[in-house]
Amino acid sequence: IRRQIRSFDPSSSEMAAISPANATTAASLSLPQFSSSSSSSITSSSSPFSLNFKTARVVNRCVKCGVRSLENQSSGHRSLDFLSNGDPISLINPNSSSSSISMAAAASESGAKCSKRVCLFHSDETRDLAERIVSQSDCIELRSINWKKFDDGFPNLFIQNAQGIRGQHVAFLASFSSPAVIFEQLSVIYALPKLFVSSFTLVLPFFPTGTSERMEDEGDVATAFTLARILSNIPASRGGPTSLVTFDIHALQERFYFGDTILPCFESGIPLLKSRLQSLPDSDNISIAFPDDGAWKRFHKQLQHYPTIVCNKVRMGDKRIVRIKEGDAEGRHVVIVDDLVQSGGTLIECQKVLAAHGAAKISAYVTHGIFPKSSWKRFKLDTKGDPAEGLSYFWITDSCGLTVKEVMNKPPFEVLSLAGSIASALQV
């Protein structure tokens, strides 16, 4: 018989597993303090189970036993043999067997859903996202850090209940939105793995220097490599190297910038976009437009089920003009897809070209809405049916918390949260 039986410990109200491989498998059954002296049937007041013994008195002891038989399962009967000297005992559920089986199944299901418990710390900017992540899973607990500054401006940091995270899985949700906040967060990131934690995961939704990955002239500094090298030197925890979770890094080759002392996990926000597109009333009339070849290389495989339009930039004197390289926008709801937006100039030029080629509606999606100097204000809602003047939707994720606060509830902007994706990644 190849199945898993559960024995109930009345003293702790927890399920302990016994998995028989053959006729006899060792197990340990902890017995509570009972008030009976010599009866052959002893019942705990804290449990619906009773223990029938041929011995006289049992007082708070632990016995080693083995499964002898599985007969009479419909009556809730489980027969166990002592592996040491002693008579057999029986574990009997006076209620229906289905109740014990359902309790065991519930405990097993709960354990399966919560593969590990994670203590999640966060920066000030990522507080809202951290709370959304915690709401996605009972396995993630929110922890806090005191972010203060000394009079000279340098950070004065304190990790609350530092001893309480020993032996725990720990994660930190970071936001490197400006050079001014990177140092204080790096100080915490370097400190957490050294607090005797079981594992450490850095969640950095947006890798900010990703666009500075190339050297075009001698003397150019590829700051993407610099930041990757800094993160690669985060101290190891008890469980080994730090894990890094980031979303839609600008260039795929940047994964090779990280050293062997960090384990980067590259996630994407595109599944959130696909789910949102499927809910639109005109979902069967969607085409995907890429503003340049780089965006096409980055995302076309994830969006291959949609008709594709590829734009490119052509230099005309001192100007760069966006043109349609391939694809047809006529009568379609065209969604422009890219990994990030800053000033938005390229997206606006792409929008105008698509409208000129007959697009019925135009929307946009970027994983990272950076929008320096409030450049998001350049994008208007299409209220007159003129896609050249406005967008139907502009989807961004909450990878950049400061932007989310600015554009929240301001059409055409709509925020797709990474909380569920991050919660799932923390359980890997």
Side-chain angles (χ1 to χ4, degrees):
I1 299 174
R2 299 275 183 175
R3 61 171 298 173
Q4 190 175 63
I5 306 124
R6 304 273 169 169
S7 64
F8 188 78
D9 179 358
S11 63
S12 63
S13 297
E14 294 178 352
M15 306 303 290
I18 305 176
S19 300
N22 298 307
T24 302
T25 300
S28 190
L29 178 63
S30 181
L31 304 180
Q33 181 74 38
F34 295 104
S35 59
S36 174
S37 58
S38 61
S39 65
S40 60
S41 179
I42 306 174
T43 303
S44 169
S45 60
S46 62
S47 167
F49 289 86
S50 62
L51 295 175
N52 289 344
F53 288 89
K54 293 182 181 179
T55 54
R57 179 179 176 85
V58 178
V59 179
N60 205 21
R61 68 178 180 127
C62 184
V63 295
K64 289 187 177 181
C65 53
V67 176
R68 185 183 66 186
S69 61
L70 305 177
E71 72 273 7
N72 299 327
Q73 293 188 33
S74 60
S75 63
H77 184 277
R78 300 292 183 269
S79 183
L80 305 175
D81 276 341
F82 287 110
L83 295 184
S84 56
N85 294 332
D87 294 324
I89 65 173
S90 294
L91 179 61
I92 303 169
N93 181 4
N95 301 323
S96 64
S97 62
S98 60
S99 63
S100 62
I101 294 175
S102 63
M103 284 192 297
S108 177
E109 183 179 357
S110 175
K113 289 182 179 178
C114 192
S115 59
K116 65 179 181 181
R117 296 197 172 274
V118 180
C119 300
L120 178 63
F121 293 88
H122 57 85
S123 66
D124 272 345
E125 291 180 16
T126 58
R127 177 186 299 276
D128 292 342
L129 177 55
E131 291 175 350
R132 287 191 288 270
I133 293 170
V134 171
S135 70
Q136 296 288 322
S137 174
D138 294 334
C139 305
I140 303 175
E141 178 185 350
L142 198 62
R143 297 297 183 94
S144 59
I145 295 172
N146 292 341
W147 302 91
K148 299 180 180 179
K149 293 184 182 297
F150 291 108
D151 292 339
D152 59 4
F154 278 87
N156 177 11
L157 310 171
F158 181 76
I159 300 171
Q160 297 186 21
N161 193 22
Q163 288 188 338
I165 64 173
R166 288 183 178 181
Q168 303 293 316
H169 299 286
V170 173
F172 180 78
L173 180 61
S175 176
F176 292 172
S177 58
S178 70
V181 300
I182 291 180
F183 176 71
E184 64 180 13
Q185 292 183 55
L186 282 177
S187 300
V188 172
I189 291 167
Y190 271 58
L192 284 171
K194 302 172 77 172
L195 293 177
F196 216 63
V197 300
S198 290
S199 69
F200 179 66
T201 300
L202 171 62
V203 181
L204 183 63
F206 173 50
F207 188 77
T209 59
T211 55
S212 301
E213 86 283 8
R214 295 189 302 268
M215 292 180 58
E216 296 182 353
D217 295 317
E218 187 65 30
D220 285 343
V221 178
T223 54
F225 178 75
T226 305
L227 182 56
R229 186 163 50 182
I230 291 173
L231 298 181
S232 297
N233 284 281
I234 297 173
S237 65
R238 289 177 59 196
T242 293
S243 298
L244 168 67
V245 178
T246 192
F247 286 80
D248 290 323
I249 198 166
H250 182 65
L252 291 177
Q253 66 267 22
E254 291 179 30
R255 69 180 57 214
F256 303 111
Y257 292 177
F258 296 92
D260 295 336
T261 52
I262 193 169
L263 304 175
C265 175
F266 299 99
E267 299 284 353
S268 178
I270 294 297
L272 299 175
L273 171 64
K274 292 169 67 175
S275 177
R276 184 67 181 93
L277 293 180
Q278 291 170 5
S279 68
L280 295 178
D282 58 349
S283 59
D284 57 346
N285 192 42
I286 299 291
S287 291
I288 301 297
F290 300 107
D292 51 39
D293 290 333
W296 177 84
K297 291 178 182 177
R298 186 71 182 82
F299 296 118
H300 80 279
K301 289 186 177 179
Q302 297 183 70
L303 296 164
Q304 58 185 336
H305 299 298
Y306 292 95
T308 299
I309 301 169
V310 182
C311 302
N312 65 354
K313 299 174 185 177
V314 180
R315 186 179 294 277
M316 300 288 290
D318 294 335
K319 297 182 179 180
R320 286 188 175 184
I321 299 176
V322 176
R323 294 179 176 177
I324 293 181
K325 179 180 178 181
E326 60 182 76
D328 185 11
E330 182 71 32
R332 307 288 292 181
H333 181 177
V334 181
V335 180
I336 307 169
V337 175
D338 208 349
D339 62 320
L340 59 84
V341 59
Q342 297 216 34
S343 67
T346 299
L347 283 183
I348 291 175
E349 291 300 317
C350 189
Q351 173 189 353
K352 292 178 179 180
V353 170
L354 291 168
H357 281 76
K361 294 181 179 179
I362 298 176
S363 297
Y365 165 85
V366 295
T367 303
H368 311 296
I370 305 168
F371 295 118
K373 300 179 181 179
S374 298
S375 58
W376 58 269
K377 295 179 179 178
R378 301 179 65 183
F379 296 92
K380 307 300 182 181
L381 176 66
D382 180 10
T383 59
K384 300 178 180 180
D386 184 0
E389 298 298 325
L391 297 174
S392 297
Y393 301 96
F394 197 141
W395 294 290
I396 64 173
T397 74
D398 46 3
S399 65
C400 301
L402 297 180
T403 297
V404 170
K405 292 179 180 179
E406 291 185 3
V407 306
M408 186 67 71
N409 299 321
K410 292 182 174 67
F413 291 96
E414 186 175 307
V415 179
L416 308 178
S417 182
L418 297 172
S421 301
I422 294 174
S424 297
L426 291 178
Q427 290 299 307
V428 174

